Amino acid sequence: MNEQPFFASLLESYFIALGVLIGGSIIGGIAAFFTGKPPLTEIFNLSNSIRIWAIIAAIGGTFDTVYSFERGVLDGQTKDIIKQCLLILSAFGGAQTGAQIIIWLTQEHLPK
């Protein structure tokens, strides 16, 4: 199986986390609307609660990451550790960007 270039993996990780966070929050807000809850408040709350799941989805689960860390530590392949750290940081960035977009859209952070 061909591995994709590392920069493409970074971009993919970023945008997967971004999409999971924004998509999950907005779809959850639609469900909140149908159940009579305030949609914008639920969208904001969901974006805070699914942030970690967006990161996990973006890095492709935890076992591949743990295996890469193990290989980096035990086999002395520090390049793999650095790559995995950058992928995780990219996913964190995508999730943070998605959360910031949700905050801007819902304006739940403004004092009342």
Side-chain angles (χ1 to χ4, degrees):
M1 187 161 122
N2 252 347
E3 260 189 58
Q4 63 184 17
F6 180 67
F7 186 70
S9 297
L10 278 178
L11 284 177
E12 189 176 84
S13 176
Y14 178 85
F15 284 107
I16 288 172
L18 178 72
V20 167
L21 195 97
I22 290 177
S25 297
I26 291 177
I27 296 296
I30 293 170
F33 173 76
F34 287 134
T35 59
K37 295 179 183 176
L40 293 179
T41 303
E42 286 299 312
I43 289 172
F44 178 75
N45 292 337
L46 282 171
S47 74
N48 288 330
S49 63
I50 65 172
R51 192 175 299 180
I52 189 69
W53 297 109
I55 294 166
I56 290 172
I59 61 173
T62 57
F63 293 115
D64 292 338
T65 305
V66 171
Y67 177 70
S68 291
F69 277 124
E70 176 191 15
R71 189 174 51 206
V73 171
L74 297 179
D75 295 342
Q77 297 178 358
T78 56
K79 187 176 177 182
D80 287 337
I81 292 175
I82 293 170
K83 282 184 176 181
Q84 286 302 315
C85 287
L86 288 174
L87 283 173
I88 291 170
L89 284 176
S90 177
F92 271 111
Q96 184 61 32
T97 303
Q100 193 64 44
I101 290 171
I102 294 294
I103 288 170
W104 289 340
L105 289 176
T106 61
Q107 298 185 4
E108 287 289 323
H109 66 289
L110 297 176
K112 300 197 184 218

